[in-house]
Structure formats: structure tokens, C-alpha cells
Amino acid sequence: MSFAIMFHHFHNKFHKKTQGSISGSQLQKIIEYLQSRYNLINSHEFCQKVIDKKIKKKDVCLTFDDCLKSQFDIAFPILKKKNISAFFFIYSSIFDPKPNNLEIFRDFRNTKFSNIDKFYECFFNLLKKNYFQDYLLFEKKFKRNYLMKYKFYTLSDRKFRFCRDKILSHNIYEKIMFLLMKQKKYNLRNAKIKLFMSKKNIKSLIKNQNSIGLHSDSHPINIYKLSFKRQYKDYKKNYDFLIKNFKIKTTSMSHPFGRYNKNTLKVLKKLGIKVGFLSSPAKFNKSNLEIGRVDHNLLIKKIK
């Protein structure tokens, strides 16, 4: 079965090492590993082979989610040098005056604490103090098998994500995070500049034959809980952003958090999306919009 490799965060002297990030040298090892064992092909070719139903078992491609500046600064030069093109999936709200705070919060918890467990400790202490009923509900409802398919998550990671994704309202979660950020004197303005690519960066990716695809506009945690109408509005805004700014009518996407439902697939088909990627491996690809991906952290462990 063909599949893709999923990348997110990279580190070097400028971009701090964080939970799950890899270096440029590790990316090169992954590329060399794939080239020696699989048929690593460029994004446009992969997309066309999927559409034409000519994709083969050993065909593999590279994908990058979330429009992160570390990808442009560290991964992109390596791709250029090796003459490899990849998929870059962008959520467009990062260009709004008030962007989705997903990456902002991630950067905060990875850079303002000595380790990630210190953040979790502060987060749950504040939750217990300020929203005790929600804390009790979390204690009662948490299931240890939550997100178990993502082998790189620790038990603490999964507890935090369960609480964030299943227990807390968006409003309460953000209140807790902003209170912690205030306590730690986190510079929100500088973070936005540091974390995300610019439109100029994206144009450079396009110039070098990389494929730019959808990743929703707002990157909601649970997009599958939204109605068809609201999902369509979110993805259409993302789709229109690419047309307006880069003259691209994309045919590819990746599901935020790997979450979707039948309405999501209907939305994507309505927008003319032909190829979609999950955020976890799949024993078989149910459809062209449900292609499995292997996280770079799992692959680098295998290479070692």
C-alpha cells in the first residue's frame, strides 16, 4: 500500500528543539531511508498517480502540515538540494489578525517550561483551581486508550489532549492558556512572526514545484462535529485563500488532527479535492481522500 510521511516541526540554532521536532540531518536520513527501500516520488506525480489509479505499493511522498516557518527554513533547502517536491498543507487563519492559537499554545508549552510535564502540571493545577467541575469530569471520563494509535504520545500527552479535545469548551481552554501565558510573560507578537511562513515563503515553495493544499481555515480540533454547512464554509475559505493569494485551485488536502466524517468527504468532493491524507497509518486506503501517513517521529525511531 502506498503512503506518505507526515512532518511538522524542525529545530536548529534559531528554531528551538521542542517535543516531536527533528533536525535537518534527521530529515536527510529519512529521505535516504525512503529512497533505498521505497519509490519516493514528487508530490505532483504522487497526486496524479492516485487520481489515475496507477499508484503502486511502494510509492511514497513527503507531506508537511501547518505552514510552519521551521519547515521553510530547515526542510525546504534540503528538498531543493535533493530535487524533491512535497505537499505543504496550509490552514489560512494564520494570516488573519486573530489566528487560530494552536501553534501559539504549542510553542508556549514547549518553550516556557523546563519540560512538557511541568506544563501539564501547571495546566491541570489551574484547571482544578478555577474549573473544578470540569476537572472532576475529566477525572471521571478519561479513557487510557485515547489516542493510543499515536505511539509517540505519552500518557500525559494523551490526558492533556483528552481534556482539551473532549472536556473543555474552546473558551475555557483558551482562558486557562492565556492566564498561564500571562504568568510566564510569553511574547505573543514575536511568536506569530517566528512560527509561521509568510506568503512570500509559500510563493517560493510553489516556484520550486511543491504542492500547496488545504488544511481547513481555522484548524478546528473536532471538525467532524460541525455541520456540513459549517465544514463547507471553513474549507471553502481555505480554498478561496489559495486562489486569491497564489492563483492555485488545489486538488489536495490533509485532515486536521486526522479527524473527519462523511460530511467532510462530501465537502472535499464538492470543492474538487482529489487526494486527502490522514494523520496516522492505515492498513489500507479506504478512498483517495483517506490515504494513511506515518509520522516522522515513528520513522526516525525505526531508522535508528
Side-chain angles (χ1 to χ4, degrees):
M1 182 195 68
S2 60
F3 64 99
I5 309 303
M6 177 177 65
F7 296 93
H8 284 90
H9 302 89
F10 292 83
H11 60 256
N12 62 7
K13 291 181 180 179
F14 178 75
H15 295 281
K16 187 175 179 179
K17 185 175 183 179
T18 59
Q19 185 185 34
S21 66
I22 63 172
S23 66
S25 61
Q26 286 176 307
L27 171 61
Q28 293 191 68
K29 285 182 180 179
I30 288 173
I31 290 173
E32 290 165 4
Y33 175 85
L34 293 172
Q35 288 176 329
S36 68
R37 290 166 174 78
Y38 298 92
N39 181 31
L40 177 59
I41 57 179
N42 289 327
S43 55
H44 294 288
E45 182 184 356
F46 189 94
C47 197
Q48 196 59 53
K49 289 180 80 170
V50 170
I51 293 169
D52 294 340
K53 300 187 184 303
K54 293 182 178 179
I55 201 78
K56 295 183 179 179
K57 187 176 181 179
K58 285 204 167 186
D59 289 339
V60 63
C61 64
L62 307 182
T63 69
F64 297 79
D65 284 4
D66 297 341
C67 199
L68 301 173
K69 189 67 164 59
S70 66
Q71 296 170 358
F72 185 83
D73 292 344
I74 301 169
F76 178 48
I78 294 171
L79 298 181
K80 275 203 301 183
K81 186 177 180 180
K82 292 183 174 293
N83 198 29
I84 296 171
S85 69
F87 291 95
F88 286 82
F89 299 115
I90 294 167
Y91 66 98
S92 38
S93 69
I94 60 174
F95 295 97
D96 291 343
K98 291 184 178 181
N100 178 292
N101 289 306
L102 174 73
E103 285 299 327
I104 301 291
F105 291 159
R106 182 190 182 278
D107 183 68
F108 165 67
R109 66 179 185 256
N110 277 286
T111 59
K112 284 295 185 176
F113 297 85
S114 57
N115 60 64
I116 194 65
D117 286 320
K118 290 289 185 183
F119 162 75
Y120 293 145
E121 181 182 346
C122 290
F123 179 86
F124 281 107
N125 283 342
L126 199 56
L127 174 65
K128 189 174 183 179
K129 178 181 176 182
N130 292 2
Y131 303 97
F132 187 64
Q133 292 305 314
D134 287 313
Y135 178 80
L136 289 179
L137 187 61
F138 158 73
E139 290 274 272
K140 180 181 178 181
K141 295 284 188 179
F142 176 67
K143 297 178 181 179
R144 293 182 68 89
N145 64 350
Y146 183 67
L147 298 180
M148 278 290 287
K149 65 180 179 179
Y150 300 100
K151 302 300 182 184
F152 45 87
Y153 285 153
T154 65
L155 176 60
S156 296
D157 293 333
R158 292 187 283 109
K159 283 184 174 181
F160 168 70
R161 283 162 174 77
F162 182 86
C163 186
R164 179 193 67 185
D165 301 354
K166 301 292 185 180
I167 302 297
L168 300 181
S169 69
H170 179 74
N171 184 48
I172 289 177
Y173 170 61
E174 293 217 329
K175 280 184 177 180
I176 294 172
M177 292 301 294
F178 280 119
L179 183 55
L180 286 173
M181 288 163 73
K182 185 177 180 180
Q183 291 175 357
K184 291 285 187 176
K185 297 180 180 179
Y186 180 77
N187 192 318
L188 187 60
R189 185 176 180 181
N190 286 352
K192 291 176 182 177
I193 297 171
K194 177 184 72 173
L195 288 174
F196 299 113
M197 294 186 204
S198 65
K199 292 179 182 178
K200 185 178 179 181
N201 294 153
I202 297 171
K203 287 177 180 177
S204 294
L205 295 177
I206 296 168
K207 185 179 179 181
N208 282 271
Q209 303 302 311
N210 293 285
S211 302
I212 308 300
L214 303 184
H215 200 45
S216 80
D217 175 64
S218 61
H219 204 299
I221 291 173
N222 294 311
I223 196 167
Y224 66 93
K225 290 185 177 181
L226 304 180
S227 66
F228 174 88
K229 186 176 181 180
R230 288 181 66 190
Q231 287 194 51
Y232 180 79
K233 183 179 180 181
D234 199 287
Y235 272 112
K236 183 65 161 60
K237 188 175 180 181
N238 193 203
Y239 185 85
D240 290 344
F241 172 83
L242 297 185
I243 293 175
K244 180 181 178 181
N245 291 279
F246 310 111
K247 306 297 187 292
I248 291 174
K249 288 188 176 181
T250 188
T251 57
S252 63
M253 63 80 65
S254 68
H255 299 279
F257 296 99
R259 296 168 187 171
Y260 65 100
N261 61 10
K262 290 181 180 179
N263 279 338
T264 315
L265 301 180
K266 289 178 183 177
V267 164
L268 297 173
K269 288 175 182 177
K270 187 173 181 178
L271 290 172
I273 304 303
K274 306 294 185 183
V275 178
F277 295 92
L278 308 178
S279 60
S280 60
K283 290 183 178 179
F284 63 94
N285 299 328
K286 295 178 182 178
S287 74
N288 290 353
L289 296 176
E290 300 165 283
I291 298 172
R293 290 193 290 177
V294 176
D295 187 270
H296 64 241
N297 280 296
L298 291 178
L299 195 55
I300 203 69
K301 287 179 181 178
K302 187 175 182 179
I303 293 171
K304 287 179 180 179

